[in-house]
Amino acid sequence: MKLVLKITLLFLLFLQNIHSFSQSNTSKYIQEAHIVSTSWLNDMNEGKVGKCYKNLSNEVRILYDSISWCAYAIQINKEFGEKKKRLLTNAKFHSSLQGMEDGFYVTVSYDAKFKNTLLFKETVILKQDDQAKWRILDYSYEYQLKQDDDPTIKEK
């Protein structure tokens, strides 16, 4: 009976340690991905679109050649104007995303202000590659331009 109790206590301590380790790793992954996404967004806003393209995940680079992706990124910068501020609103770790293989993913969301916008919300989804480097898997945003007569929020 005492042996069973000792084994049960050891097992519970083991589970608690695994849970604590898992939580600390998740926090680490979120922090790392947040740093990468903020740097990537800042590079985008500074017109360093070639550098941004290199930090896209392989899944994205297969879909878009560098010339068309960079041209699109430059067009976005012109439309929204200079970045005034960006605030983190949410960051979450995922071990899987719908339609994707299991892996390490982090979704990071921001509220931002640009010269030509009234409203700008952006989300970056990052995936850790096989070299343990965080890469941009998706970038989406919702916005409303200042001179826009249409009050609906646009999504891209």
Side-chain angles (χ1 to χ4, degrees), residues 21 41 47 128:
F21 179 74
L41 288 168
Q128 196 175 67

Short mmCIF file of all heavy atoms in Angstrom, two decimals, residues 21 41 47 128:
data_model
loop_
_atom_site.label_atom_id
_atom_site.label_comp_id
_atom_site.label_asym_id
_atom_site.label_seq_id
_atom_site.Cartn_x
_atom_site.Cartn_y
_atom_site.Cartn_z
N PHE A 21 6.96 22.65 -17.27
CA PHE A 21 7.91 22.76 -18.38
C PHE A 21 7.18 23.16 -19.66
O PHE A 21 7.64 24.03 -20.40
CB PHE A 21 8.63 21.42 -18.57
CG PHE A 21 9.61 21.42 -19.70
CD1 PHE A 21 10.82 22.07 -19.57
CD2 PHE A 21 9.31 20.77 -20.89
CE1 PHE A 21 11.74 22.06 -20.62
CE2 PHE A 21 10.22 20.77 -21.93
CZ PHE A 21 11.43 21.42 -21.79
N LEU A 41 7.08 43.12 -39.18
CA LEU A 41 6.15 44.21 -39.50
C LEU A 41 6.88 45.54 -39.61
O LEU A 41 6.58 46.34 -40.51
CB LEU A 41 5.05 44.29 -38.43
CG LEU A 41 4.03 43.15 -38.46
CD1 LEU A 41 3.18 43.18 -37.20
CD2 LEU A 41 3.17 43.22 -39.71
N GLY A 47 9.83 49.49 -45.68
CA GLY A 47 10.06 49.19 -47.09
C GLY A 47 11.11 48.13 -47.35
O GLY A 47 11.55 47.95 -48.48
N GLN A 128 7.15 27.63 -36.65
CA GLN A 128 8.56 27.31 -36.41
C GLN A 128 9.00 26.28 -37.44
O GLN A 128 8.37 25.23 -37.60
CB GLN A 128 8.75 26.77 -34.99
CG GLN A 128 10.18 26.79 -34.54
CD GLN A 128 10.34 26.38 -33.11
OE1 GLN A 128 10.08 25.24 -32.78
NE2 GLN A 128 10.75 27.30 -32.26
#
